[in-house]
Amino acid sequence: MRDETLLIDHARYVVTLDGERRIVRDGSILVEAGRIRRVGKAAELADVRADRVIDARHLLVTPGLVNGHLHVSYAHAVRGIFPDDLGSPLAHVFKLQMAMTEEEEYHTTLLGLVELLKNGTVCFVDPGSTKFPDACLQAYEEAGIRVVLGECVSDREAPFPLPRYEATEAIARTAAFLERWHGRLDGRIRAWAMPFSPETCSADLLRGVKRVADERGTGLTLHHGSGPAARRESLARHGLTPTAYLESLGVLGPNVLLSHALGLDDGEIECLARTSTAVAMCPVMAAKAGRGVPVHGRMPELLQKGVRVALGTDSPNNSNHVDLVRAMNMAAIQYKDARQDLSQIPAETALELATLRGAQALGLGDELGSIEPGKRADLVLFDTQRPEWQALFNPINNLVYNADGRSVHTVVVDGRVVVDAYRQTFVDEARLFARVQEIGERLQARTGVRFPPSRWPIV
Ligand SMILES: [Zn+2]
């Protein structure tokens, strides 16, 4: 239940992300019917009465964090089972994902949502990994989170077991999915077209689902065939770079979000800028998977050309965490090191990527991403009474370089308090953790996807 009016009072800092990027010291925020009504100095809101008042004297408030690429589904049940030198785990990933039962996916998803919200993420794009959206709807409803959902489709042979259909069926399924899901839960659910990748989908399928997304006024996301191997394949097959190939099909545009987007050349960056296509980059996953960010990471150039960029974490079995504060940190430090240039991705830009720029990349910049009157009341309150926040003079530096998601104290989505003084309000965590551990054991036994539990003896 949400209170009709909520006052966040005397916050130590409110990081507004407004047009002037004001950081209000001793700030207050009035929320009414799920939207931000007023923001200002606490003294200016001193006359306000509200159904609930949160004393925010030790808290720093930011807009809710937005994750542009996160496969929720199965991964929480078997997190960390892949050895860190495995190479591509995709064959195992899809085997595990396809073996989930409805009840299992509900629980693993719910655990994913607990972790996301407790680390400050209020909105995420699940790139088509949910197998049982009906069961997961219940989890989304209980958690109160925002999600961009879709059905993963492909129509070509792939080296891993993707959901594969004839192109016409894939397009029809996508249309039916959008029809059924878009706008549910008071608009907190958005449904997008989700073809897996250009390598696994024919030109007909890609064009068809883009048309469906355009007709419905919704979005499309796909894994962008990037990096040297994808480039070689695309040039050999189409005579075009991966991005130019998508443009030739008409599958770029303001409602398209390409994930990962590593290894882009200058022409491809121009192409994304020209077509107003957005990208979701996963800095932690890229580093952990050895994707060569120093060579292939072009985030600074994308930002320079005005391309909308979101941060993602990818699957909990890739990054392996879903903490966007850590992703901000990685984005900020990765490019300084890669370029040996300290002006790359300042802390403020990293915070924008996880908030306003992320919301804009998802086409939700008018509703989310900053603390301004009229916007949805999606807020994260960080606890500055923790050792890693001392001493506090430059709040953005402290947030991006010192802190991580564990200092998230309270989270508000659509005006509803979903994490309240470190406690989420919708599920019994101890029971959920035990259930997911059991699901992980059963899933490994059922699929035969097992790895030695440790390189060191567990005695
Ligand atoms: Zn992905």
mmCIF file of all heavy atoms in Angstrom, residues 108-153:
data_model
loop_
_atom_site.group_PDB
_atom_site.id
_atom_site.type_symbol
_atom_site.label_atom_id
_atom_site.label_comp_id
_atom_site.label_asym_id
_atom_site.label_seq_id
_atom_site.Cartn_x
_atom_site.Cartn_y
_atom_site.Cartn_z
ATOM 1 N N THR A 108 12.876 -17.531 -8.082
ATOM 2 C CA THR A 108 14.185 -16.964 -8.433
ATOM 3 C C THR A 108 14.032 -15.509 -8.868
ATOM 4 O O THR A 108 14.880 -14.671 -8.573
ATOM 5 C CB THR A 108 14.887 -17.779 -9.541
ATOM 6 O OG1 THR A 108 14.005 -17.910 -10.657
ATOM 7 C CG2 THR A 108 15.266 -19.158 -9.048
ATOM 8 N N THR A 109 12.912 -15.218 -9.546
ATOM 9 C CA THR A 109 12.665 -13.834 -9.956
ATOM 10 C C THR A 109 12.439 -12.958 -8.734
ATOM 11 O O THR A 109 13.001 -11.858 -8.636
ATOM 12 C CB THR A 109 11.445 -13.773 -10.901
ATOM 13 O OG1 THR A 109 11.762 -14.530 -12.066
ATOM 14 C CG2 THR A 109 11.108 -12.343 -11.298
ATOM 15 N N LEU A 110 11.652 -13.474 -7.804
ATOM 16 C CA LEU A 110 11.372 -12.688 -6.600
ATOM 17 C C LEU A 110 12.674 -12.367 -5.856
ATOM 18 O O LEU A 110 12.877 -11.235 -5.392
ATOM 19 C CB LEU A 110 10.414 -13.472 -5.696
ATOM 20 C CG LEU A 110 9.730 -12.684 -4.583
ATOM 21 C CD1 LEU A 110 8.941 -11.500 -5.126
ATOM 22 C CD2 LEU A 110 8.799 -13.600 -3.783
ATOM 23 N N LEU A 111 13.576 -13.342 -5.793
ATOM 24 C CA LEU A 111 14.863 -13.077 -5.135
ATOM 25 C C LEU A 111 15.645 -12.008 -5.909
ATOM 26 O O LEU A 111 16.253 -11.107 -5.307
ATOM 27 C CB LEU A 111 15.678 -14.371 -5.019
ATOM 28 C CG LEU A 111 17.062 -14.237 -4.388
ATOM 29 C CD1 LEU A 111 17.017 -13.508 -3.050
ATOM 30 C CD2 LEU A 111 17.705 -15.611 -4.214
ATOM 31 N N GLY A 112 15.597 -12.105 -7.237
ATOM 32 C CA GLY A 112 16.248 -11.068 -8.050
ATOM 33 C C GLY A 112 15.701 -9.685 -7.727
ATOM 34 O O GLY A 112 16.454 -8.718 -7.579
ATOM 35 N N LEU A 113 14.396 -9.595 -7.569
ATOM 36 C CA LEU A 113 13.769 -8.297 -7.299
ATOM 37 C C LEU A 113 14.154 -7.779 -5.919
ATOM 38 O O LEU A 113 14.369 -6.579 -5.735
ATOM 39 C CB LEU A 113 12.244 -8.398 -7.426
ATOM 40 C CG LEU A 113 11.719 -8.938 -8.763
ATOM 41 C CD1 LEU A 113 10.198 -8.867 -8.799
ATOM 42 C CD2 LEU A 113 12.313 -8.197 -9.947
ATOM 43 N N VAL A 114 14.246 -8.706 -4.942
ATOM 44 C CA VAL A 114 14.675 -8.305 -3.595
ATOM 45 C C VAL A 114 16.062 -7.677 -3.683
ATOM 46 O O VAL A 114 16.327 -6.592 -3.148
ATOM 47 C CB VAL A 114 14.706 -9.522 -2.632
ATOM 48 C CG1 VAL A 114 15.432 -9.181 -1.345
ATOM 49 C CG2 VAL A 114 13.287 -9.997 -2.333
ATOM 50 N N GLU A 115 16.957 -8.344 -4.408
ATOM 51 C CA GLU A 115 18.330 -7.833 -4.498
ATOM 52 C C GLU A 115 18.369 -6.503 -5.254
ATOM 53 O O GLU A 115 19.065 -5.560 -4.850
ATOM 54 C CB GLU A 115 19.242 -8.859 -5.165
ATOM 55 C CG GLU A 115 20.704 -8.424 -5.096
ATOM 56 C CD GLU A 115 21.671 -9.391 -5.757
ATOM 57 O OE1 GLU A 115 21.229 -10.454 -6.224
ATOM 58 O OE2 GLU A 115 22.867 -9.056 -5.802
ATOM 59 N N LEU A 116 17.619 -6.427 -6.339
ATOM 60 C CA LEU A 116 17.603 -5.177 -7.115
ATOM 61 C C LEU A 116 17.140 -4.014 -6.260
ATOM 62 O O LEU A 116 17.804 -2.977 -6.168
ATOM 63 C CB LEU A 116 16.668 -5.322 -8.322
ATOM 64 C CG LEU A 116 17.233 -6.111 -9.492
ATOM 65 C CD1 LEU A 116 16.127 -6.488 -10.472
ATOM 66 C CD2 LEU A 116 18.310 -5.304 -10.204
ATOM 67 N N LEU A 117 15.980 -4.190 -5.629
ATOM 68 C CA LEU A 117 15.421 -3.072 -4.858
ATOM 69 C C LEU A 117 16.316 -2.712 -3.680
ATOM 70 O O LEU A 117 16.535 -1.536 -3.406
ATOM 71 C CB LEU A 117 14.008 -3.426 -4.372
ATOM 72 C CG LEU A 117 12.947 -3.432 -5.483
ATOM 73 C CD1 LEU A 117 11.651 -4.049 -4.982
ATOM 74 C CD2 LEU A 117 12.687 -2.026 -6.019
ATOM 75 N N LYS A 118 16.865 -3.716 -3.007
ATOM 76 C CA LYS A 118 17.703 -3.415 -1.835
ATOM 77 C C LYS A 118 19.017 -2.744 -2.232
ATOM 78 O O LYS A 118 19.723 -2.208 -1.384
ATOM 79 C CB LYS A 118 17.961 -4.685 -1.020
ATOM 80 C CG LYS A 118 16.691 -5.138 -0.303
ATOM 81 C CD LYS A 118 16.933 -6.298 0.608
ATOM 82 C CE LYS A 118 17.269 -5.847 2.004
ATOM 83 N NZ LYS A 118 17.230 -6.961 2.976
ATOM 84 N N ASN A 119 19.326 -2.775 -3.524
ATOM 85 C CA ASN A 119 20.495 -2.050 -4.019
ATOM 86 C C ASN A 119 20.099 -0.799 -4.802
ATOM 87 O O ASN A 119 20.924 -0.221 -5.508
ATOM 88 C CB ASN A 119 21.364 -2.969 -4.874
ATOM 89 C CG ASN A 119 22.146 -3.952 -4.019
ATOM 90 O OD1 ASN A 119 23.188 -3.617 -3.473
ATOM 91 N ND2 ASN A 119 21.614 -5.153 -3.850
ATOM 92 N N GLY A 120 18.836 -0.427 -4.725
ATOM 93 C CA GLY A 120 18.420 0.861 -5.282
ATOM 94 C C GLY A 120 17.896 0.861 -6.701
ATOM 95 O O GLY A 120 17.579 1.916 -7.236
ATOM 96 N N THR A 121 17.785 -0.323 -7.331
ATOM 97 C CA THR A 121 17.258 -0.349 -8.702
ATOM 98 C C THR A 121 15.742 -0.405 -8.670
ATOM 99 O O THR A 121 15.157 -1.278 -8.027
ATOM 100 C CB THR A 121 17.818 -1.551 -9.482
ATOM 101 O OG1 THR A 121 19.221 -1.354 -9.621
ATOM 102 C CG2 THR A 121 17.189 -1.662 -10.865
ATOM 103 N N VAL A 122 15.108 0.522 -9.375
ATOM 104 C CA VAL A 122 13.640 0.597 -9.362
ATOM 105 C C VAL A 122 13.036 0.184 -10.699
ATOM 106 O O VAL A 122 11.824 0.023 -10.812
ATOM 107 C CB VAL A 122 13.162 2.028 -9.035
ATOM 108 C CG1 VAL A 122 13.689 2.472 -7.685
ATOM 109 C CG2 VAL A 122 13.568 3.016 -10.126
ATOM 110 N N CYS A 123 13.876 0.051 -11.720
ATOM 111 C CA CYS A 123 13.373 -0.213 -13.072
ATOM 112 C C CYS A 123 14.451 -0.976 -13.828
ATOM 113 O O CYS A 123 15.622 -0.608 -13.753
ATOM 114 C CB CYS A 123 13.094 1.128 -13.760
ATOM 115 S SG CYS A 123 12.565 1.003 -15.477
ATOM 116 N N PHE A 124 14.059 -2.058 -14.515
ATOM 117 C CA PHE A 124 15.076 -2.779 -15.286
ATOM 118 C C PHE A 124 14.474 -3.372 -16.551
ATOM 119 O O PHE A 124 13.268 -3.572 -16.653
ATOM 120 C CB PHE A 124 15.749 -3.873 -14.440
ATOM 121 C CG PHE A 124 14.871 -5.060 -14.127
ATOM 122 C CD1 PHE A 124 15.028 -6.255 -14.808
ATOM 123 C CD2 PHE A 124 13.904 -4.997 -13.133
ATOM 124 C CE1 PHE A 124 14.240 -7.366 -14.524
ATOM 125 C CE2 PHE A 124 13.102 -6.095 -12.842
ATOM 126 C CZ PHE A 124 13.278 -7.283 -13.534
ATOM 127 N N VAL A 125 15.365 -3.619 -17.512
ATOM 128 C CA VAL A 125 14.976 -4.288 -18.751
ATOM 129 C C VAL A 125 15.395 -5.749 -18.625
ATOM 130 O O VAL A 125 16.578 -6.041 -18.473
ATOM 131 C CB VAL A 125 15.686 -3.667 -19.978
ATOM 132 C CG1 VAL A 125 15.305 -4.422 -21.249
ATOM 133 C CG2 VAL A 125 15.367 -2.190 -20.099
ATOM 134 N N ASP A 126 14.426 -6.647 -18.659
ATOM 135 C CA ASP A 126 14.736 -8.081 -18.730
ATOM 136 C C ASP A 126 14.669 -8.469 -20.197
ATOM 137 O O ASP A 126 13.584 -8.486 -20.781
ATOM 138 C CB ASP A 126 13.725 -8.900 -17.928
ATOM 139 C CG ASP A 126 14.071 -10.386 -18.016
ATOM 140 O OD1 ASP A 126 14.076 -10.938 -19.137
ATOM 141 O OD2 ASP A 126 14.356 -10.989 -16.992
ATOM 142 N N PRO A 127 15.829 -8.767 -20.820
ATOM 143 C CA PRO A 127 15.830 -8.946 -22.277
ATOM 144 C C PRO A 127 15.270 -10.299 -22.703
ATOM 145 O O PRO A 127 15.940 -11.084 -23.368
ATOM 146 C CB PRO A 127 17.309 -8.806 -22.648
ATOM 147 C CG PRO A 127 18.022 -8.508 -21.368
ATOM 148 C CD PRO A 127 17.153 -8.925 -20.239
ATOM 149 N N GLY A 128 14.058 -10.575 -22.298
ATOM 150 C CA GLY A 128 13.368 -11.764 -22.814
ATOM 151 C C GLY A 128 13.726 -13.051 -22.112
ATOM 152 O O GLY A 128 13.562 -14.130 -22.678
ATOM 153 N N SER A 129 14.210 -12.985 -20.859
ATOM 154 C CA SER A 129 14.560 -14.259 -20.227
ATOM 155 C C SER A 129 13.423 -14.876 -19.431
ATOM 156 O O SER A 129 13.494 -16.036 -19.049
ATOM 157 C CB SER A 129 15.808 -14.112 -19.346
ATOM 158 O OG SER A 129 15.860 -12.865 -18.740
ATOM 159 N N THR A 130 12.375 -14.106 -19.180
ATOM 160 C CA THR A 130 11.265 -14.640 -18.395
ATOM 161 C C THR A 130 10.472 -15.650 -19.217
ATOM 162 O O THR A 130 9.968 -15.341 -20.287
ATOM 163 C CB THR A 130 10.349 -13.489 -17.948
ATOM 164 O OG1 THR A 130 11.109 -12.657 -17.083
ATOM 165 C CG2 THR A 130 9.142 -13.997 -17.208
ATOM 166 N N LYS A 131 10.385 -16.868 -18.674
ATOM 167 C CA LYS A 131 9.698 -17.944 -19.401
ATOM 168 C C LYS A 131 8.214 -17.970 -19.032
ATOM 169 O O LYS A 131 7.381 -18.343 -19.840
ATOM 170 C CB LYS A 131 10.379 -19.254 -18.978
ATOM 171 C CG LYS A 131 10.192 -20.399 -19.913
ATOM 172 C CD LYS A 131 11.087 -21.557 -19.437
ATOM 173 C CE LYS A 131 10.383 -22.875 -19.640
ATOM 174 N NZ LYS A 131 11.000 -23.968 -18.877
ATOM 175 N N PHE A 132 7.909 -17.607 -17.800
ATOM 176 C CA PHE A 132 6.523 -17.672 -17.316
ATOM 177 C C PHE A 132 6.071 -16.292 -16.839
ATOM 178 O O PHE A 132 6.021 -16.022 -15.629
ATOM 179 C CB PHE A 132 6.420 -18.667 -16.156
ATOM 180 C CG PHE A 132 6.822 -20.062 -16.521
ATOM 181 C CD1 PHE A 132 8.068 -20.552 -16.160
ATOM 182 C CD2 PHE A 132 5.960 -20.880 -17.243
ATOM 183 C CE1 PHE A 132 8.448 -21.836 -16.502
ATOM 184 C CE2 PHE A 132 6.331 -22.172 -17.590
ATOM 185 C CZ PHE A 132 7.579 -22.648 -17.220
ATOM 186 N N PRO A 133 5.740 -15.406 -17.760
ATOM 187 C CA PRO A 133 5.407 -14.037 -17.353
ATOM 188 C C PRO A 133 4.226 -13.953 -16.390
ATOM 189 O O PRO A 133 4.190 -13.060 -15.540
ATOM 190 C CB PRO A 133 5.114 -13.309 -18.671
ATOM 191 C CG PRO A 133 5.040 -14.353 -19.720
ATOM 192 C CD PRO A 133 5.725 -15.564 -19.223
ATOM 193 N N ASP A 134 3.289 -14.901 -16.476
ATOM 194 C CA ASP A 134 2.144 -14.828 -15.557
ATOM 195 C C ASP A 134 2.594 -14.982 -14.106
ATOM 196 O O ASP A 134 2.168 -14.227 -13.237
ATOM 197 C CB ASP A 134 1.120 -15.931 -15.879
ATOM 198 C CG ASP A 134 0.339 -15.581 -17.124
ATOM 199 O OD1 ASP A 134 -0.452 -14.641 -17.063
ATOM 200 O OD2 ASP A 134 0.561 -16.231 -18.163
ATOM 201 N N ALA A 135 3.466 -15.952 -13.868
ATOM 202 C CA ALA A 135 3.962 -16.170 -12.503
ATOM 203 C C ALA A 135 4.817 -14.983 -12.074
ATOM 204 O O ALA A 135 4.760 -14.534 -10.928
ATOM 205 C CB ALA A 135 4.772 -17.453 -12.431
ATOM 206 N N CYS A 136 5.601 -14.482 -13.012
ATOM 207 C CA CYS A 136 6.498 -13.385 -12.658
ATOM 208 C C CYS A 136 5.722 -12.087 -12.433
ATOM 209 O O CYS A 136 6.144 -11.247 -11.640
ATOM 210 C CB CYS A 136 7.577 -13.214 -13.712
ATOM 211 S SG CYS A 136 8.678 -14.654 -13.737
ATOM 212 N N LEU A 137 4.573 -11.965 -13.097
ATOM 213 C CA LEU A 137 3.747 -10.776 -12.875
ATOM 214 C C LEU A 137 3.418 -10.637 -11.391
ATOM 215 O O LEU A 137 3.456 -9.542 -10.833
ATOM 216 C CB LEU A 137 2.446 -10.855 -13.685
ATOM 217 C CG LEU A 137 1.511 -9.656 -13.489
ATOM 218 C CD1 LEU A 137 2.044 -8.441 -14.238
ATOM 219 C CD2 LEU A 137 0.096 -9.965 -13.955
ATOM 220 N N GLN A 138 3.141 -11.792 -10.786
ATOM 221 C CA GLN A 138 2.826 -11.783 -9.359
ATOM 222 C C GLN A 138 4.025 -11.244 -8.561
ATOM 223 O O GLN A 138 3.867 -10.430 -7.656
ATOM 224 C CB GLN A 138 2.508 -13.215 -8.936
ATOM 225 C CG GLN A 138 1.803 -13.314 -7.610
ATOM 226 C CD GLN A 138 1.712 -14.766 -7.156
ATOM 227 O OE1 GLN A 138 1.592 -15.687 -7.963
ATOM 228 N NE2 GLN A 138 1.794 -14.966 -5.851
ATOM 229 N N ALA A 139 5.226 -11.687 -8.950
ATOM 230 C CA ALA A 139 6.433 -11.204 -8.260
ATOM 231 C C ALA A 139 6.605 -9.700 -8.480
ATOM 232 O O ALA A 139 6.919 -8.958 -7.549
ATOM 233 C CB ALA A 139 7.663 -11.962 -8.757
ATOM 234 N N TYR A 140 6.387 -9.238 -9.704
ATOM 235 C CA TYR A 140 6.535 -7.803 -9.993
ATOM 236 C C TYR A 140 5.509 -6.991 -9.214
ATOM 237 O O TYR A 140 5.790 -5.906 -8.727
ATOM 238 C CB TYR A 140 6.381 -7.513 -11.489
ATOM 239 C CG TYR A 140 7.375 -8.246 -12.360
ATOM 240 C CD1 TYR A 140 6.963 -8.929 -13.501
ATOM 241 C CD2 TYR A 140 8.724 -8.276 -12.031
ATOM 242 C CE1 TYR A 140 7.880 -9.614 -14.288
ATOM 243 C CE2 TYR A 140 9.636 -8.959 -12.816
ATOM 244 C CZ TYR A 140 9.201 -9.626 -13.945
ATOM 245 O OH TYR A 140 10.096 -10.315 -14.709
ATOM 246 N N GLU A 141 4.329 -7.557 -9.104
ATOM 247 C CA GLU A 141 3.275 -6.850 -8.382
ATOM 248 C C GLU A 141 3.625 -6.764 -6.898
ATOM 249 O O GLU A 141 3.533 -5.706 -6.284
ATOM 250 C CB GLU A 141 1.940 -7.580 -8.572
ATOM 251 C CG GLU A 141 0.796 -6.837 -7.919
ATOM 252 C CD GLU A 141 -0.566 -7.294 -8.425
ATOM 253 O OE1 GLU A 141 -0.676 -8.423 -8.950
ATOM 254 O OE2 GLU A 141 -1.514 -6.515 -8.289
ATOM 255 N N GLU A 142 4.062 -7.892 -6.333
ATOM 256 C CA GLU A 142 4.406 -7.907 -4.912
ATOM 257 C C GLU A 142 5.560 -6.949 -4.610
ATOM 258 O O GLU A 142 5.552 -6.228 -3.621
ATOM 259 C CB GLU A 142 4.775 -9.332 -4.473
ATOM 260 C CG GLU A 142 3.560 -10.241 -4.399
ATOM 261 C CD GLU A 142 3.914 -11.720 -4.424
ATOM 262 O OE1 GLU A 142 5.111 -12.065 -4.464
ATOM 263 O OE2 GLU A 142 2.979 -12.529 -4.418
ATOM 264 N N ALA A 143 6.577 -6.980 -5.485
ATOM 265 C CA ALA A 143 7.769 -6.167 -5.226
ATOM 266 C C ALA A 143 7.525 -4.693 -5.537
ATOM 267 O O ALA A 143 8.207 -3.823 -5.002
ATOM 268 C CB ALA A 143 8.933 -6.694 -6.058
ATOM 269 N N GLY A 144 6.596 -4.413 -6.423
ATOM 270 C CA GLY A 144 6.299 -3.023 -6.776
ATOM 271 C C GLY A 144 7.329 -2.392 -7.686
ATOM 272 O O GLY A 144 7.378 -1.173 -7.836
ATOM 273 N N ILE A 145 8.178 -3.209 -8.329
ATOM 274 C CA ILE A 145 9.242 -2.684 -9.195
ATOM 275 C C ILE A 145 8.689 -2.381 -10.595
ATOM 276 O O ILE A 145 7.589 -2.804 -10.937
ATOM 277 C CB ILE A 145 10.392 -3.736 -9.263
ATOM 278 C CG1 ILE A 145 11.717 -3.090 -9.682
ATOM 279 C CG2 ILE A 145 10.003 -4.907 -10.158
ATOM 280 C CD1 ILE A 145 12.928 -3.970 -9.373
ATOM 281 N N ARG A 146 9.440 -1.612 -11.359
ATOM 282 C CA ARG A 146 9.110 -1.402 -12.781
ATOM 283 C C ARG A 146 9.936 -2.362 -13.617
ATOM 284 O O ARG A 146 11.117 -2.569 -13.320
ATOM 285 C CB ARG A 146 9.527 0.005 -13.238
ATOM 286 C CG ARG A 146 8.760 1.095 -12.625
ATOM 287 C CD ARG A 146 9.228 2.446 -13.158
ATOM 288 N NE ARG A 146 8.726 3.457 -12.251
ATOM 289 C CZ ARG A 146 7.470 3.882 -12.236
ATOM 290 N NH1 ARG A 146 6.607 3.407 -13.117
ATOM 291 N NH2 ARG A 146 7.075 4.772 -11.367
ATOM 292 N N VAL A 147 9.339 -2.871 -14.685
ATOM 293 C CA VAL A 147 10.099 -3.800 -15.529
ATOM 294 C C VAL A 147 9.695 -3.649 -16.984
ATOM 295 O O VAL A 147 8.536 -3.385 -17.291
ATOM 296 C CB VAL A 147 9.934 -5.263 -15.015
ATOM 297 C CG1 VAL A 147 8.485 -5.663 -14.932
ATOM 298 C CG2 VAL A 147 10.697 -6.264 -15.872
ATOM 299 N N VAL A 148 10.683 -3.778 -17.851
ATOM 300 C CA VAL A 148 10.439 -3.864 -19.285
ATOM 301 C C VAL A 148 10.593 -5.330 -19.657
ATOM 302 O O VAL A 148 11.666 -5.909 -19.490
ATOM 303 C CB VAL A 148 11.440 -3.000 -20.089
ATOM 304 C CG1 VAL A 148 11.192 -3.161 -21.577
ATOM 305 C CG2 VAL A 148 11.354 -1.533 -19.674
ATOM 306 N N LEU A 149 9.508 -5.913 -20.120
ATOM 307 C CA LEU A 149 9.444 -7.347 -20.388
ATOM 308 C C LEU A 149 9.298 -7.621 -21.867
ATOM 309 O O LEU A 149 8.827 -6.767 -22.606
ATOM 310 C CB LEU A 149 8.154 -7.904 -19.794
ATOM 311 C CG LEU A 149 8.014 -8.263 -18.343
ATOM 312 C CD1 LEU A 149 6.618 -8.842 -18.147
ATOM 313 C CD2 LEU A 149 9.063 -9.278 -17.965
ATOM 314 N N GLY A 150 9.602 -8.849 -22.253
ATOM 315 C CA GLY A 150 9.332 -9.238 -23.640
ATOM 316 C C GLY A 150 9.511 -10.724 -23.773
ATOM 317 O O GLY A 150 10.000 -11.383 -22.859
ATOM 318 N N GLU A 151 9.121 -11.238 -24.940
ATOM 319 C CA GLU A 151 9.350 -12.657 -25.186
ATOM 320 C C GLU A 151 10.552 -12.778 -26.117
ATOM 321 O O GLU A 151 10.562 -12.193 -27.203
ATOM 322 C CB GLU A 151 8.115 -13.292 -25.841
ATOM 323 C CG GLU A 151 8.334 -14.776 -26.070
ATOM 324 C CD GLU A 151 7.111 -15.503 -26.630
ATOM 325 O OE1 GLU A 151 6.097 -14.843 -26.930
ATOM 326 O OE2 GLU A 151 7.206 -16.730 -26.775
ATOM 327 N N CYS A 152 11.547 -13.542 -25.680
ATOM 328 C CA CYS A 152 12.737 -13.745 -26.510
ATOM 329 C C CYS A 152 12.351 -14.588 -27.725
ATOM 330 O O CYS A 152 11.742 -15.645 -27.576
ATOM 331 C CB CYS A 152 13.804 -14.470 -25.696
ATOM 332 S SG CYS A 152 15.273 -14.850 -26.641
ATOM 333 N N VAL A 153 12.681 -14.104 -28.919
ATOM 334 C CA VAL A 153 12.408 -14.897 -30.128
ATOM 335 C C VAL A 153 13.654 -14.957 -31.016
ATOM 336 O O VAL A 153 14.489 -14.057 -30.984
ATOM 337 C CB VAL A 153 11.212 -14.337 -30.947
ATOM 338 C CG1 VAL A 153 9.897 -14.511 -30.216
ATOM 339 C CG2 VAL A 153 11.430 -12.875 -31.338
#
